[in-house]
Amino acid sequence: MKRRFGRATPLALASAFALSTLVSLDVGCGTPPRGVDWNGKRLPAIDMHLHPGDWDHVPEDTRKFLASRFPFPIGLDAEAAAKGSLLPESILGEIDDAGIWGAGLFAIYAPRTVGVASNELVAEDLTFAPDRFFGLASLRVDRWTTDRDAELDQLKSTLSRPGFVGIKLAHAHQHFRMDDPAFFPIYEVAASLGKPLYLHTGTSPFPGTSQEPAYTDPTYLETAIQQFPNATFILGHLGYDFEQKRHAGLETCIRLAKTYPNVFLEPSALGSASSDPTGANLKEALRRMREAGITDRVIYGSDGPQSPGFVKGYLERTVAAMKDTGYTEQEAAGVLAGNFARVFGVTVPAEAAE
């Protein structure tokens, strides 16, 4: 093992092991079955939105924010637990416990907000479970006027590596406007290489985030969506307002998906216990997307691992909300894995649900 596997402290690795053990004990002995139980049938699940990382490259304020989310008794050494949770073995343990077959691992370059999870870091993590991990590459935009061409070349090079299936951007975290044409060459790369783009939309609770509409409101993406019809845009979080814990961009996301065939939606994080305590907002989002007839445009993601059991818990909340809002087995199967497989060109094996 290299990089973080070798550099992680024994305490961090022990914490990661403890998290996995605690979660496993919750479901009894043995490996949980894969897939989601849907009226007696198991449906495959892929979580497209998980964050590996390097604790040393996370800003201090964000470290405190992340560590604050760990429950007792793990919270007694929250920093070590948070550090351990970013390791690929911990992520694999979380998706195994949830019955999830595959996972998207996000790179990100946002040194002033959520930190840096480099393309190299993700590339190394992909080797840990190459049949189940899928990488989404990113790039730096904070020195765009001088480094644009070099960053675009680096992005193209990364996307040619095994396991990389898409691109991750977060305008609010990376501090660039959604409608700034200076950054449209990124969408050109996505279109030319056939690599879907995942875009954070909505406000964010992380320190240092740009919360103004041009960085958070999916309306500001429409020009790019129109200009690059061969690029696939996945609007993450449905434009949710995580500061006020309310829907803000949901109707815009639905309109964009109904209007443009290159727009997909992803309802991660907004339905968590902390962001949606009653579960009403997640149900409302899933209901509205079904009523709009766009369940074939919805891709499941959690935005984990966050804290022990979050990945499993978010999947359970989502499945319950889909059942409560009338999703058919076919619609649920598409949201949980089928739409991801279609958009990213991934084959889901039979053993993904057993």
Side-chain angles (χ1 to χ4, degrees):
M1 296 286 184
K2 310 175 205 175
R3 196 200 11 105
R4 291 170 304 125
F5 316 140
R7 286 170 46 198
T9 66
L11 182 57
L13 290 172
S15 297
F17 177 77
L19 303 188
S20 177
T21 301
L22 285 171
V23 172
S24 297
L25 288 173
D26 185 53
V27 296
C29 298
T31 302
R34 283 191 185 163
V36 167
D37 183 357
W38 190 273
N39 299 328
K41 182 176 181 179
R42 300 206 75 82
L43 304 179
I46 299 173
D47 188 336
M48 81 156 296
H49 189 158
L50 291 167
H51 290 281
D54 188 333
W55 193 249
D56 294 336
H57 290 86
V58 176
E60 182 62 28
D61 288 345
T62 300
R63 290 187 192 184
K64 294 177 181 177
F65 174 79
L66 291 171
S68 71
R69 303 173 73 87
F70 283 81
F72 181 86
I74 297 170
L76 294 175
D77 195 352
E79 180 165 324
K83 190 172 186 176
S85 73
L86 299 173
L87 298 172
E89 52 263 52
S90 295
I91 293 174
L92 190 62
E94 289 284 338
I95 68 171
D96 276 343
D97 182 65
I100 292 169
W101 169 70
L105 303 185
F106 285 6
I108 187 64
Y109 292 85
R112 291 181 287 171
T113 52
V114 296
V116 174
S118 71
N119 292 330
E120 285 298 325
L121 180 149
V122 171
E124 186 174 340
D125 285 359
L126 294 180
T127 66
F128 192 83
D131 57 331
R132 298 175 63 193
F133 284 168
F134 306 95
L136 279 81
S138 194
L139 73 173
R140 293 193 66 147
V141 298
D142 52 330
R143 300 187 295 246
W144 199 243
T145 55
T146 58
D147 294 355
R148 184 193 71 170
D149 291 344
E151 288 293 332
L152 291 172
D153 287 344
Q154 178 264 347
L155 178 63
K156 294 175 187 176
S157 177
T158 299
L159 291 171
S160 71
R161 300 175 68 172
F164 281 92
V165 298
I167 299 169
K168 150 74 173 181
L169 297 176
H171 297 80
H173 296 149
Q174 295 179 281
H175 300 282
F176 69 111
R177 290 176 60 106
M178 292 177 170
D179 60 350
D180 188 341
F183 299 93
F184 283 12
I186 302 172
Y187 308 138
E188 291 180 11
V189 170
S192 66
L193 297 181
K195 301 291 186 178
L197 293 138
Y198 179 95
L199 307 125
H200 174 107
T201 65
T203 62
S204 169
F206 286 98
T209 301
S210 296
Q211 308 285 21
E212 294 80 8
Y215 302 85
T216 60
D217 185 344
T219 302
Y220 286 80
L221 288 169
E222 189 161 11
T223 299
I225 291 167
Q226 290 175 331
Q227 189 168 329
F228 299 95
N230 293 326
T232 299
F233 294 80
I234 302 169
L235 309 186
H237 309 303
L238 305 180
Y240 195 72
D241 183 349
F242 286 96
E243 293 291 286
Q244 300 299 319
K245 299 181 180 179
R246 64 180 182 88
H247 288 302
L250 175 61
E251 293 306 319
T252 296
C253 287
I254 291 173
R255 177 183 66 80
L256 292 172
K258 286 179 67 69
T259 304
Y260 304 101
N262 58 330
V263 172
F264 289 76
L265 309 180
E266 186 253 19
S268 66
L270 66 92
S272 68
S274 60
S275 296
D276 181 22
T278 68
N281 289 342
L282 180 58
K283 287 183 182 179
E284 174 68 8
L286 291 168
R287 180 184 65 80
R288 285 288 299 113
M289 291 188 289
R290 185 170 189 269
E291 289 176 347
I294 56 169
T295 58
D296 63 331
R297 305 292 190 81
V298 183
I299 301 176
Y300 176 74
S302 70
D303 197 7
Q306 295 202 22
S307 59
F310 177 89
V311 172
K312 179 181 179 182
Y314 200 84
L315 180 61
E316 291 174 343
R317 289 169 72 92
T318 300
V319 170
M322 285 196 292
K323 289 181 176 180
D324 287 347
T325 51
Y327 277 62
T328 66
E329 178 185 310
Q330 182 179 2
E331 290 169 336
V335 171
L336 293 171
N339 297 337
F340 177 95
R342 174 166 52 90
V343 169
F344 288 97
V346 170
T347 299
V348 181
E351 61 267 24
E354 55 186 19

